[in-house]
Amino acid sequence: MKVLVAGARGMVGRAVAAHCLAQNDEVFAHDRQSLDITNHESVRAAFERERPDAVINCAAWTDVDGCQSDPERARAVNSHAVENLALNCRRAGAIFVTISTDYVFDGKKEGFYTQRDDPNPESVYGAAKLEGERRAQAASARTVVVRTGWIFGADGRNFLSTVIERARRGERLKAISDAYGTPTYADDLAVRLRQLAQLDLPGIYHVVNSGSGVSFEEFTRAALVAAGLEGAEIESVRMDTLQRPAPRPRNSRLRCLLSEAVGLAALPDWESALSVFARQISR
Ligand SMILES: NC(=O)c1ccc[n+]([C@@H]2O[C@H](COP(=O)([O-])OP(=O)(O)OC[C@H]3O[C@@H](n4cnc5c(N)ncnc54)[C@H](OP(=O)(O)O)[C@@H]3O)[C@@H](O)[C@H]2O)c1
């Protein structure tokens, strides 16, 4: 495949570009400098030059609190630019795979969110991402939306690596005990994103590692154990004590109703993925 990867210097974008290259795809991996997705002229020129069969959009403004104070920029990157990529895909006959988020849900449900649940984002970030999903689907029928959450990976900005580094320095850590999600390893997500581009079955997919959902604190503790840092000190904190500008869902565990139905195997469980990650970052 000829694959254009937008946002290729982010945590997921790096994993996607590396995986596609390893599969012998012809890869056009663009960081923000080589392709700003909000710049319509650059996007048009890239499509004309590269004529991709598939576009995997990993570019986004992911600063959830930043988005809260600048809704216009949040919508420009996470919604309008996504729509424009989809429009270009339609014109070029390319499949469009774009990543969305568990933050499209309000977190009030008990249990796992599936495609049958109505989104109800509470943050500007979540609302812009949801608008991006919908605009992209309206702009091109060959749009695959991939909602995911709690991503960890070896490259890019990455909360788990930061936690592990701080524990290694002997710092006392804080972890939220009352927020629940489904962890997702960037390398496993990358494999699934490419599979979905090949499969060419449009729709909304929920892509996370398998296993039960966990609290952020449990996840942090498991990561420290995987990194051989079980002695690290962790203070449990409740989400509302942090007083962050943007609200986050208390529960954003995801489950997919479609993947199995279209013949896709479940991703590895998150605990095994965590062990692979710990080995990767200790190299
Ligand atoms: N991380 C998570 O836990 C999580 C959870 C759910 C969903 N997601 C979604 O997963 C996707 C990938 O996220 P990630 O964790 O890999 O985020 P990331 O590391 O922040 O990567 C996002 C990349 O997009 C780039 N970007 C920002 N604005 C751009 C623009 N206008 N044009 C082109 N590139 C631009 C950023 O470049 P700069 O660094 O130069 O700004 C960055 O390299 C996003 O759609 C995000 O919403 C992430």
Side-chain angles (χ1 to χ4, degrees):
M1 279 195 300
K2 279 213 260 181
V3 187
L4 187 158
V5 182
R9 204 174 283 178
M11 175 165 54
V12 177
R14 286 174 198 241
V16 169
H19 175 65
C20 291
L21 275 175
Q23 299 301 309
N24 294 320
D25 291 333
E26 192 177 341
V27 181
F28 304 98
H30 288 286
D31 63 10
R32 174 141 63 123
Q33 225 174 2
S34 67
L35 182 67
D36 179 338
I37 62 165
T38 62
N39 182 328
H40 287 207
E41 183 44 37
S42 296
V43 171
R44 196 196 54 75
F47 271 81
E48 207 156 277
R49 208 172 46 239
E50 292 157 8
R51 304 194 175 278
D53 305 311
V55 172
I56 303 182
N57 177 33
C58 307
W61 191 26
T62 57
D63 174 354
V64 177
D65 291 327
C67 285
Q68 200 68 14
S69 55
D70 192 347
E72 212 171 301
R73 180 175 162 202
R75 291 184 72 210
V77 183
N78 294 339
S79 172
H80 293 290
V82 180
E83 175 183 34
N84 184 52
L85 285 172
L87 265 178
N88 278 274
C89 281
R90 178 160 62 78
R91 285 192 204 114
I95 174 144
F96 184 48
V97 180
T98 190
I99 310 176
S100 188
T101 172
D102 49 345
Y103 282 23
V104 299
F105 297 112
D106 61 22
K108 295 188 174 119
K109 180 182 176 176
E110 298 298 328
F112 290 85
Y113 281 97
T114 72
Q115 290 92 336
R116 289 202 188 100
D117 292 303
D118 286 325
N120 182 31
E122 292 199 322
S123 62
V124 169
Y125 167 77
K129 295 289 288 185
L130 179 63
E131 188 184 312
E133 290 183 3
R134 290 176 171 166
R135 284 178 176 267
Q137 288 181 305
S140 171
R142 281 176 83 197
T143 293
V144 173
V145 170
V146 173
R147 293 184 186 142
T148 181
W150 288 31
I151 305 174
F152 60 102
D155 294 312
R157 270 191 293 266
N158 175 355
F159 65 92
L160 268 198
S161 303
T162 310
V163 162
I164 289 169
E165 261 170 46
R166 291 183 52 205
R168 284 207 177 109
R169 289 199 296 265
E171 287 177 32
R172 189 180 161 82
L173 306 166
K174 286 186 181 180
I176 300 170
S177 58
D178 59 345
Y180 296 84
T182 31
T184 311
Y185 185 34
D187 288 14
D188 292 333
L189 175 60
V191 171
R192 182 50 45 91
L193 289 166
R194 182 177 181 277
Q195 278 174 332
L196 287 169
Q198 282 185 309
L199 203 57
D200 197 1
L201 284 174
I204 297 176
Y205 293 79
H206 287 183
V207 176
V208 293
N209 279 114
S210 46
S212 58
V214 275
S215 75
F216 195 74
E217 182 182 341
E218 288 161 337
F219 180 46
T220 306
R221 288 187 189 279
L224 291 170
V225 171
L229 293 161
E230 42 279 276
E233 257 192 273
I234 300 180
E235 181 191 341
S236 298
V237 292
R238 296 184 63 81
M239 190 154 72
D240 55 10
T241 61
L242 296 180
Q243 301 197 325
R244 294 178 290 189
R248 270 85 167 160
R250 186 188 56 78
N251 166 40
S252 63
R253 285 174 285 178
L254 300 180
R255 181 153 288 162
C256 198
L257 299 175
L258 276 187
S259 303
E260 207 183 326
V262 299
L264 294 166
L267 296 190
D269 68 82
W270 64 263
E271 286 174 279
S272 319
L274 208 47
S275 306
V276 177
F277 164 77
R279 282 199 296 279
Q280 199 186 10
I281 61 164
S282 64
R283 279 205 291 270

